[in-house]
């Protein structure tokens, strides 16, 4: 089965030259069963896509607007139709930083999911509990609620779920493997209630040291990698761990 190792570059790197250099370092990674992906900033997007055009590395978008799936007077926004036109391989929707800093709730995320669906884009849909919710034992409940944004939208095989505990993102902290596996099993069950089948990847402080353990699990279909994806060597080691 295909595994996915996707770099979420967020608002990095500082320059266009660094972004294209990082992209060309990805071309040196060889994997058999792992699909690699990256998400450059929009300003660097087409240049990175061009560097990776003769590879099978996915180049995705970090977000799309909820305002429309096409065109309109929405200063600063980028739409699903525009992403499809430049052959974006996927789009991230529901990342916790967007939920947290831009107040993206289930209702808005459902709109975004529908826009992506209408443009036939593959979606990496992120879900995960906060530290307080984790401490209060509400993880499963939170995941079920977040997954409800998918209700009634049929993505066929164009959907990947990323389980990313908010408290694990960029902190160096991770749940135990057993906790991650329990969450993945819960997600799988909640998805089946929605008649959805999709790969489930893990994100949150994945690095070249913990990747092998995560990859050894039969229920983790890959990784969404933030910080460590900006270091070509670390990212290559993570990809290789999932390729074994
Ligand atoms: P991190 O970020 O790997 O830096 O924790 C993961 C993410 O936000 O997708």
């Amino acid at each position: 089965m295909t595994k996915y190792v996707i770099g979420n570059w967020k608002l990095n790197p500082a320059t266009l030259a660094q972004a294209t250099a990082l992209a060309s370092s990805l071309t040196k990674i060889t994997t058999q069963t792992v699909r690699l992906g990256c998400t450059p900033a929009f300003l660097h997007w087409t240049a990175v896509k061009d560097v990776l055009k003769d590879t099978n590395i996915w180049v995705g978008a970090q977000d799309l607007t909820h305002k429309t799936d096409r065109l309109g007077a929405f200063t600063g926004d980028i739409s699903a139709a525009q992403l499809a036109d430049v052959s974006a391989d996927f789009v991230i929707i529901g990342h916790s930083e967007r939920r947290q800093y831009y107040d993206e709730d289930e209702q808005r995320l459902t709109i975004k999911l529908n826009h992506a669906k209408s443009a036939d884009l593959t979606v990496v849909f992120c879900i995960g509990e906060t530290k307080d919710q984790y401490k209060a034992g509400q993880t499963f409940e939170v995941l079920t609620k977040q997954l409800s944004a998918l209700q009634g939208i049929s993505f066929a095989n164009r959907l990947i779920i990323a389980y990313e505990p908010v408290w694990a993102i960029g902190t160096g902290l991770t749940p135990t493997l057993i906790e991650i596996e329990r969450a993945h099993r819960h997600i799988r069950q909640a998805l089946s209630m929605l008649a959805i089948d999709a790969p489930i990847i893990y994100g949150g402080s994945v690095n070249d040291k913990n990747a092998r353990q995560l990859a050894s699990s039969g229920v983790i279909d890959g990784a969404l990698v933030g910080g460590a994806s900006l270091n070509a060597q670390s990212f290559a080691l993570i990809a290789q761990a999932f390729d074994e």
Side-chain angles (χ1 to χ4, degrees):
M1 203 179 108
T2 307
K3 299 225 171 153
Y4 300 84
V5 175
I6 294 174
N8 179 8
W9 292 2
K10 310 189 184 186
L11 204 167
N12 296 289
T15 67
L16 175 61
Q18 286 168 343
T20 53
L22 184 57
S24 70
S25 72
L26 300 185
T27 63
K28 299 185 186 82
I29 307 174
T30 48
T31 54
Q32 306 297 320
T33 57
V34 168
R35 167 73 68 182
L36 295 177
C38 64
T39 56
F42 286 130
L43 203 55
H44 303 154
W45 203 91
T46 42
V48 166
K49 182 76 174 168
D50 196 49
V51 171
L52 298 175
K53 66 176 183 295
D54 296 324
T55 72
N56 52 17
I57 300 171
W58 278 2
V59 184
Q62 297 179 17
D63 189 34
L64 51 69
T65 185
H66 64 287
K67 284 297 192 182
T68 173
D69 62 347
R70 288 153 204 265
L71 306 174
F74 303 109
T75 303
D77 280 354
I78 285 175
S79 75
Q82 288 178 317
L83 292 176
D85 174 63
V86 294
S87 305
D89 297 293
F90 67 97
V91 58
I92 295 176
I93 294 180
H95 192 279
S96 67
E97 286 148 17
R98 304 280 328 167
R99 292 178 190 260
Q100 204 180 332
Y101 306 141
Y102 300 93
D103 297 326
E104 297 195 350
D105 56 10
E106 262 72 58
Q107 203 186 351
R108 178 169 299 185
L109 293 175
T110 296
I111 296 171
K112 289 191 174 201
L113 289 163
N114 273 304
H115 288 343
K117 155 85 185 151
S118 75
D120 281 336
L121 290 167
T122 292
V123 168
V124 175
F125 185 55
C126 300
I127 56 174
E129 80 286 2
T130 63
K131 186 86 190 175
D132 286 347
Q133 291 164 337
Y134 171 77
K135 281 196 199 146
Q138 294 167 343
T139 300
F140 290 180
E141 204 179 306
V142 169
L143 297 177
T144 306
K145 179 166 178 285
Q146 291 174 333
L147 286 169
S148 71
L150 290 163
Q151 185 142 28
I153 313 173
S154 151
F155 280 99
N157 55 1
R158 293 181 183 272
L159 177 70
I160 296 168
I161 303 295
Y163 169 53
E164 297 204 304
V166 180
W167 55 275
I169 295 177
T171 57
L173 304 172
T174 57
T176 64
L177 185 62
I178 290 173
E179 287 173 318
I180 296 172
E181 289 181 328
R182 279 198 197 121
H184 278 230
R185 288 200 188 92
H186 176 79
I187 292 165
R188 171 83 48 226
Q189 204 182 0
L191 286 175
S192 76
M193 305 292 279
L194 299 169
I196 294 171
D197 185 22
I200 305 168
I201 65 177
Y202 169 79
S205 295
V206 177
N207 58 39
D208 52 16
K209 301 194 176 55
N210 59 24
R212 201 165 295 272
Q213 193 201 25
L214 293 166
S216 72
S217 166
V219 296
I220 301 176
D221 299 318
L224 184 57
V225 188
S229 72
L230 300 172
N231 179 308
Q233 213 180 341
S234 301
F235 191 66
L237 288 169
I238 296 165
Q240 272 146 22
F242 278 94
D243 204 37
E244 281 161 12

